[in-house]
Amino acid sequence: MNEQQRAYVLRSVEERGVRLIRLWFTDVLGNIKSLAISPPELDNALSDGMTFDGSSIDGFSRVQESDVLAIPDPDTYELLPWGDSDAPEARIFCDIHHLDGTPFEGDPRQVLRRHVKAAHEAGLTFYLAPDIEYFYFEPLAPGDEPVPIDRGGFFDVTINDTTDALRKESIRTLETMGIPVEYSFHEDAPGQQEIDLRHTDALTMADSVMTFRLAVRELAARRGVHATFMPKPVEGLQGSGMHLHMSLFRGDDNAFYDENDDYDLSDTAKSFMAGLLRHANEITAVTNQTVNSYKRLVPNFEAPVHISWARNNRSGLIRVPVAKKTNPLATRIEYRSPDPACNPYLAFSLILAAGMKGIEEGYELPEEADANLFEIEDEVLEKLGIKQLPHSLDDALRQMEHSTLVREALGEHIFEWFVRNKRSEWRMYKTQVTPFERHRYMGVV
């Protein structure tokens, strides 16, 4: 532990009059969990961690091995900019350990730590910058259809002051918490927004995505607005994605850049992309983990369907943005399938594992698919070797269950629990009778 940072945290808590410190961690599905401690307990927590019953958290311990330790990471200390100004609160992300101090296999943050460390040992640092989309709706009433709070479209300046005010307040809040925002705008669908975060290392970014989702929902709720990161909340409108701009660096040099390549892509970048393409189907159950996720991954709704890559073709899975003024540091790839409902720790882990597998094994990158793939028959694409992403959670789980890469990347504990949980979700989904079925069949069958 960085003793200087630890001293700063303790001093800040005292000087700022912090009344409560929230220790944050996530379950396997990426839901934030929290323990709240008072300032006198913080020094002990930083030294020895806080014991809690892991069997009460989905995907953590079994009853017979329940107790685990939440050990705060002082580098993640931030004051919470909402709440009572007379009784300020702070948050710190935690790593979960066994009581003997070894990393806990059910902790998603520890999984990402492991993959980041492996990349570091290979001399590489994994950077990400997500474009996060979400919706603002009027307050929800049970059984009612969601109503967007505005009728805006791409880049519109909305008449509804609430939309613009909420987005600006969200940006100010994120910046206050040390999460830099690159830019934001109104997305294509009514009520849909996008905020793009500035690139940083994978672990910091996963923490930032967790903070982002909580902050957006918290600030919206305070204005009587419902914010959701559901991938496809409204039929007939595009869904919400979390496009990931990614690169690997060796020290200060962009390992994805090669000035002698027509696309400025190094062999490292090409093998990383090839790894993602080859293992895309296997990791999709994690990057798109809900039954609703697959309502977004359909043609003609701004989401990828085909496992392909190109420079400026948004119908494929991987896009290679053209860097402004051929800036070596800006060379990157954009992975377009993930949605903002995923667990970022696990999603980033599998993306990094797939890419690194491509580098280690020297995978060959397929030819660029620069046509609009939505306009080409599936049979033709199949002959060209261009496959499609899974069509449902069931399909994605079938691919994941046979993946050695995913099993090893997640570890046996999380892999087995995730599959069981998502199989249960799929079984429950299959029993549902939808309005579509009643409307289509009741009058004619």
Side-chain angles (χ1 to χ4, degrees), residues 400-401 403 406-407 410-419:
M400 175 180 171
E401 286 170 321
S403 172
V406 175
R407 185 181 290 272
L410 297 183
E412 197 73 24
H413 182 116
I414 288 181
F415 182 91
E416 292 292 342
W417 186 91
F418 186 93
V419 170

Side-chain angles (χ1 to χ4, degrees), residues 23-44:
L23 307 184
W24 286 2
F25 56 97
T26 69
D27 65 13
V28 174
L29 298 181
N31 300 304
I32 284 187
K33 304 295 179 178
S34 177
L35 301 170
I37 62 174
S38 61
E41 296 296 322
L42 180 57
D43 194 12
N44 177 63

Side-chain angles (χ1 to χ4, degrees), residues 158-203:
T158 58
I159 297 174
N160 186 328
D161 290 340
T162 303
T163 301
D164 192 48
L166 269 174
R167 211 166 56 232
K168 287 192 292 187
E169 187 177 6
S170 297
I171 293 169
R172 287 195 297 267
T173 298
L174 293 168
E175 296 274 2
T176 298
M177 298 186 72
I179 301 174
V181 172
E182 190 168 26
Y183 54 85
S184 70
F185 53 89
H186 195 289
E187 253 289 347
D188 185 36
Q192 190 180 36
Q193 321 298 319
E194 178 174 320
I195 296 180
D196 301 346
L197 303 185
R198 192 170 295 279
H199 74 279
T200 189
D201 67 276
L203 187 61

Side-chain angles (χ1 to χ4, degrees), residues 200-247:
T200 189
D201 67 276
L203 187 61
T204 301
M205 185 54 74
D207 292 340
S208 296
V209 170
M210 297 304 301
T211 304
F212 178 100
R213 295 193 305 211
L214 182 64
V216 166
R217 289 195 297 263
E218 175 76 23
L219 295 171
R222 289 172 180 269
R223 288 179 176 262
V225 172
H226 183 83
T228 181
F229 294 92
M230 184 177 177
K232 183 81 167 184
V234 181
E235 179 185 339
L237 299 180
Q238 72 176 57
S240 292
M242 185 172 72
H243 304 159
L244 299 175
H245 296 260
M246 303 180 290
S247 57

Side-chain angles (χ1 to χ4, degrees), residues 305-409:
V305 175
H306 303 94
I307 301 175
S308 63
W309 76 276
R311 282 177 291 178
N312 274 320
N313 183 353
R314 297 176 186 272
S315 66
L317 179 59
I318 296 176
R319 186 174 74 93
V320 181
V322 178
K324 290 181 291 187
K325 299 181 181 178
T326 61
N327 178 2
L329 298 181
T331 297
R332 65 195 187 279
I333 65 173
E334 178 188 2
Y335 194 63
R336 296 175 53 79
S337 65
D339 63 53
C342 72
N343 181 333
Y345 299 102
L346 300 185
F348 296 173
S349 294
L350 291 186
I351 288 168
L352 180 56
M356 291 299 292
K357 186 74 169 178
I359 293 171
E360 292 159 6
E361 300 289 331
Y363 289 178
E364 289 289 329
L365 182 65
E367 290 295 318
E368 178 183 10
D370 56 358
N372 183 349
L373 302 182
F374 296 142
E375 297 178 350
I376 303 175
E377 295 293 331
D378 291 344
E379 294 80 6
V380 175
L381 292 173
E382 195 73 32
K383 290 179 181 178
L384 295 173
I386 298 175
K387 299 180 180 179
Q388 293 192 11
L389 289 169
H391 299 295
S392 67
L393 181 60
D394 177 55
D395 187 11
L397 288 169
R398 291 178 191 275
Q399 308 260 9
M400 175 180 171
E401 286 170 321
H402 295 97
S403 172
T404 301
L405 179 136
V406 175
R407 185 181 290 272
E408 292 178 350

